[in-house]
Amino acid sequence: MEVESQNGEEKYAADIFSIKEAQARISSFIHKTPVFSSESLDALSGRRLYFKCELYQKGGAFKFRGACNAVFSLSDDQAAKGVITHSSGNHAAALALAAKLRGIPAYIIIPKNAPKCKVENVARYGGQIIRCEPNMQSRESTAAKVLEETGAVLLHSYNDGRTISGQGTISLELLEQAPQIDTIIAPISGGGLISGVALAAKFINPAIRILAAEPKGANDAAQSKAAGKIITIPETNTVADGLRAFLGDLTWPIVRDFVDDVITVEDNEIIEAMKLCYEILKVAVEPSGAIGLAAVLSNGFKKNQAFKDCCHVGIILSGGNVDLGTLWESFERR
Amino acid sequence: MEVESQNGEEKYAADIFSIKEAQARISSFIHKTPVFSSESLDALSGRRLYFKCELYQKGGAFKFRGACNAVFSLSDDQAAKGVITHSSGNHAAALALAAKLRGIPAYIIIPKNAPKCKVENVARYGGQIIRCEPNMQSRESTAAKVLEETGAVLLHSYNDGRTISGQGTISLELLEQAPQIDTIIAPISGGGLISGVALAAKFINPAIRILAAEPKGANDAAQSKAAGKIITIPETNTVADGLRAFLGDLTWPIVRDFVDDVITVEDNEIIEAMKLCYEILKVAVEPSGAIGLAAVLSNGFKKNQAFKDCCHVGIILSGGNVDLGTLWESFERR
């Protein structure tokens, strides 16, 4: 829900204060992830690139920041019966890990088509796995059923201020590690990552440019920005299994007001960027994780005069949970 | 050549002083590479593992340390006409990069079967590539010819005190980053890496255990240790393209006296370890780079009582230059 304050100004689900609180809350649990650079990729893109390696976050993705903040925000009473989520993967593992650290149960509803390695991660962290059909109705109805049975707390993977605040800690770190950054590119799906990143970065440097990268086959964010309201699409079709969700009512106002542009890329551009990540950066990203690099190398970015001043570009490599078999198939398909 | 000192004591091609000199000489050029850990891999191995990520060294492999030390050890007169080497890959790229930094030409003799990405790396760093047949005779005769034509200095990829000293800087870093380490496992091929690593580590902590990891299909070091003299084998057969060289007369005495044991592993164990590196550590190693993890997970290590006290194990992930196509074929072959 959006919250209207008394004087009519819209408030957002998170802000710099909730993000700094999150940082204090989670800093002893999370990894401060490294920032990599590559002269070869700088030359290829014509910019200086700063790769924030969130694939080296615990659980293999940025999601642990938000999940950890949400779980440790709960009072002891709230936490006692555990937490629930429905997620195709990285948030699920992240929540299981955070719950394990807090010593409470985690009930994870996972669609049947989720990548095997992501399901294994949930199991590794002790999450209790409940399978559902691969559509939002089944995810939500299964969650409601488990909720009733257990009395646990539902923690949404992106449409939650606590999650958004956790993800925002990436910008606090990144702009300390590379203060010269004038542009940040992050993947967009449900919008939790980019909402947190944008809020924190714009507070630190209002002139910073925030760009979202999105697959053409799941371009609801680009359509929403163009329409000025949330647009959902009947079907998504992309190799980036982490980028198939739609904006929520809490992430949308932040995306609308703080994300400067959405760059859409083809699946083959994502695969090509992944290969560069493997062969040049030596980092084993998942497809969703490589989309920021794909965006920087796309003609839509390179040839657009609006982006000619994007000289120092932070790229969030959001995760690295990938089945090698699936990965290769995606190379073969090109 | 081995050097006999006046009192008959054997001296080695490098020592802690030459290694510390190397560190001072190259520290502004090299990356101080990170050390990664993984609770999942600790559980799988039953030890605490410390992964020294030399695949994040410049040029994508530890080789840049040795090449950089060798190139910057030359006097201006020596350096003026450039440097030459024959190498299947990582040393070649490393030398090209070091020469570029010093502003001198690098002539690189590369066998025709070298991985494409390694050849591309040489080209990227401005090395002048001369192709030869994939055997040592052709490599050496081609090198001799280029030597005569150019007057450049031949810098061997491992059988050189300057190279060995450069590689030894890895131990100085690693034992500062993780002083609790009681065992270091490094790949062995020509022996340059492990010679430097062993000399430096044993000086810092004489009780430390140094283990070499070698493919069964190129097990000349294991045979040499068993025989007490350098053994070469007529043909090598391993997926680890970086581990097909034989010990040299300068590396052998160090390997003989400072390497505690050689662990040989099958190619399928190397591939399995590589997959774990990708899927769990998220680092894109090449086959040679994953062999240390393969050794730790092998029955030859796990079930050997001699290694039961190896609790804190440093593993050198030596390089990450891999053709993704070749990589996948090696997975398929299992």
Side-chain angles (χ1 to χ4, degrees):
Chain A
M1 95 217 118
E2 290 174 29
V3 183
E4 298 282 333
S5 71
Q6 289 187 322
N7 60 10
E9 259 180 52
E10 191 178 65
K11 287 178 67 182
Y12 303 103
D15 58 27
I16 189 65
F17 306 105
S18 66
I19 294 168
K20 289 196 169 177
E21 268 176 30
Q23 190 178 42
R25 187 176 288 123
I26 68 179
S27 63
S28 65
F29 299 111
I30 65 167
H31 288 316
K32 183 169 178 177
T33 54
V35 174
F36 284 1
S37 61
S38 156
E39 289 175 18
S40 303
L41 294 179
D42 287 355
L44 205 58
S45 66
R47 331 264 170 161
R48 291 295 300 269
L49 306 180
Y50 306 82
F51 295 93
K52 179 67 170 164
C53 293
E54 282 298 300
L55 78 168
Y56 294 134
Q57 191 49 263
K58 286 186 186 168
F62 73 92
K63 291 279 189 179
F64 181 63
R65 295 176 185 264
C68 193
N69 188 50
V71 164
F72 284 90
S73 294
L74 299 173
S75 70
D76 287 348
D77 274 359
Q78 288 174 310
K81 291 181 177 168
V83 290
I84 297 181
T85 201
H86 51 89
S87 159
S88 62
N90 282 330
H91 173 67
L95 193 69
L97 177 56
K100 186 183 171 194
L101 289 171
R102 182 135 189 201
I104 60 174
Y107 306 97
I108 312 289
I109 291 129
I110 301 183
K112 286 174 181 165
N113 65 347
K116 187 165 146 272
C117 66
K118 295 190 178 180
V119 182
E120 284 171 357
N121 281 347
V122 173
R124 179 181 300 131
Y125 299 132
Q128 301 185 33
I129 295 166
I130 300 119
R131 303 306 287 253
C132 72
E133 296 305 315
N135 59 63
M136 197 48 78
Q137 291 82 343
S138 173
R139 281 164 67 153
E140 288 180 354
S141 64
T142 310
K145 191 162 155 275
V146 178
L147 207 59
E148 202 183 297
E149 288 168 9
T150 61
V153 180
L154 182 70
L155 290 177
H156 196 275
S157 62
Y158 55 86
N159 205 40
D160 186 308
R162 298 163 291 191
T163 313
I164 295 169
S165 298
Q167 323 305 25
T169 61
I170 294 173
S171 285
L172 303 184
E173 277 179 27
L174 177 58
L175 293 177
E176 186 193 284
Q177 292 165 308
Q180 65 275 45
I181 283 175
D182 55 42
T183 306
I184 297 178
I185 302 189
I188 192 164
S189 179
L193 170 62
I194 204 157
S195 290
V197 162
L199 287 171
K202 295 261 187 187
F203 181 87
I204 294 168
N205 173 11
I208 209 163
R209 186 119 44 152
I210 304 293
L211 303 176
E214 188 174 50
K216 283 234 169 75
N219 68 346
D220 60 294
Q223 290 192 40
S224 300
K225 287 281 282 184
K229 61 176 183 181
I230 298 184
I231 303 283
T232 58
I233 53 184
E235 201 170 50
T236 61
N237 177 20
T238 174
V239 66
D241 61 274
L243 302 181
R244 294 171 188 153
F246 303 134
L247 295 169
D249 61 352
L250 296 183
T251 53
W252 161 243
I254 305 172
V255 170
R256 182 192 61 208
D257 297 347
F258 295 93
V259 172
D260 296 288
D261 228 317
V262 181
I263 299 165
T264 54
V265 296
E266 301 282 358
D267 270 14
N268 65 354
E269 294 175 296
I270 296 175
I271 299 299
E272 186 55 37
M274 255 184 103
K275 287 184 74 170
L276 292 171
C277 287
Y278 277 66
E279 294 189 342
I280 296 185
L281 284 182
K282 323 291 182 202
V283 298
V285 289
E286 58 184 280
S288 311
I291 196 172
L293 177 58
V296 168
L297 297 176
S298 69
N299 282 333
F301 182 80
K302 276 186 157 176
K303 298 191 172 165
N304 189 332
Q305 282 300 305
F307 302 131
K308 71 176 184 338
D309 297 331
C310 299
C311 300
H312 296 273
V313 182
I315 294 178
I316 298 173
L317 300 180
S318 53
N321 294 319
V322 66
D323 285 327
L324 284 179
T326 313
L327 165 67
W328 186 254
E329 278 167 29
S330 65
F331 289 164
E332 290 290 278
R333 250 199 287 148
R334 293 189 61 217
Chain B
M1 96 221 116
E2 291 173 30
V3 183
E4 298 282 333
S5 72
Q6 287 185 322
N7 61 9
E9 259 182 52
E10 191 177 67
K11 287 178 68 183
Y12 303 103
D15 58 26
I16 189 66
F17 305 105
S18 66
I19 294 168
K20 290 196 168 176
E21 269 176 30
Q23 191 178 40
R25 186 176 289 123
I26 69 179
S27 63
S28 64
F29 299 112
I30 66 168
H31 287 316
K32 182 170 178 176
T33 55
V35 174
F36 284 2
S37 61
S38 156
E39 288 175 19
S40 303
L41 294 178
D42 286 356
L44 205 59
S45 66
R47 333 261 170 163
R48 293 293 301 268
L49 306 180
Y50 305 83
F51 295 93
K52 179 67 170 163
C53 293
E54 282 297 301
L55 78 169
Y56 294 134
Q57 190 50 264
K58 285 186 186 168
F62 73 93
K63 293 278 189 180
F64 181 62
R65 295 176 185 263
C68 192
N69 188 47
V71 164
F72 284 90
S73 293
L74 299 173
S75 69
D76 287 349
D77 274 0
Q78 287 174 311
K81 291 179 177 168
V83 289
I84 296 181
T85 201
H86 51 89
S87 159
S88 63
N90 282 331
H91 172 68
L95 193 69
L97 177 56
K100 185 183 171 193
L101 289 171
R102 182 136 188 200
I104 59 175
Y107 305 97
I108 312 290
I109 292 129
I110 300 183
K112 287 174 182 166
N113 65 346
K116 186 165 146 274
C117 66
K118 294 189 178 181
V119 181
E120 286 172 354
N121 281 347
V122 173
R124 181 181 300 133
Y125 299 133
Q128 301 185 32
I129 295 166
I130 300 119
R131 303 306 286 253
C132 70
E133 297 303 315
N135 61 61
M136 199 46 79
Q137 290 82 345
S138 174
R139 281 164 67 153
E140 289 179 353
S141 65
T142 310
K145 191 161 156 276
V146 178
L147 208 59
E148 203 183 297
E149 288 169 7
T150 60
V153 180
L154 182 69
L155 291 177
H156 195 275
S157 62
Y158 55 87
N159 205 41
D160 185 309
R162 296 163 292 193
T163 313
I164 295 169
S165 298
Q167 323 306 26
T169 60
I170 294 172
S171 285
L172 303 184
E173 276 179 29
L174 177 58
L175 294 176
E176 187 192 283
Q177 291 165 309
Q180 66 275 45
I181 284 176
D182 54 42
T183 306
I184 297 177
I185 303 190
I188 192 164
S189 180
L193 170 61
I194 203 158
S195 290
V197 163
L199 287 171
K202 295 264 186 187
F203 181 87
I204 295 169
N205 173 12
I208 209 163
R209 187 120 44 153
I210 304 294
L211 303 176
E214 190 174 48
K216 283 234 170 72
N219 68 346
D220 60 295
Q223 291 193 40
S224 300
K225 287 282 280 185
K229 61 178 183 178
I230 298 183
I231 303 281
T232 58
I233 52 183
E235 202 171 47
T236 60
N237 178 19
T238 174
V239 66
D241 61 274
L243 303 181
R244 294 173 188 152
F246 303 134
L247 295 169
D249 60 351
L250 296 182
T251 53
W252 161 243
I254 305 172
V255 170
R256 182 191 62 209
D257 297 347
F258 294 94
V259 172
D260 295 289
D261 227 319
V262 181
I263 298 166
T264 54
V265 295
E266 302 282 359
D267 271 14
N268 65 354
E269 296 175 296
I270 296 175
I271 299 299
E272 188 54 37
M274 251 183 106
K275 285 184 73 171
L276 292 171
C277 287
Y278 277 68
E279 293 188 343
I280 296 184
L281 283 182
K282 324 291 182 203
V283 298
V285 289
E286 59 184 278
S288 311
I291 196 173
L293 177 59
V296 167
L297 297 175
S298 69
N299 282 333
F301 181 80
K302 275 187 158 174
K303 298 191 172 166
N304 189 332
Q305 282 300 305
F307 302 131
K308 72 175 183 339
D309 297 331
C310 299
C311 300
H312 295 275
V313 182
I315 294 178
I316 297 172
L317 300 180
S318 53
N321 293 318
V322 67
D323 285 329
L324 284 180
T326 313
L327 165 67
W328 184 254
E329 279 168 29
S330 65
F331 290 162
E332 289 290 278
R333 250 199 287 148
R334 292 189 62 218

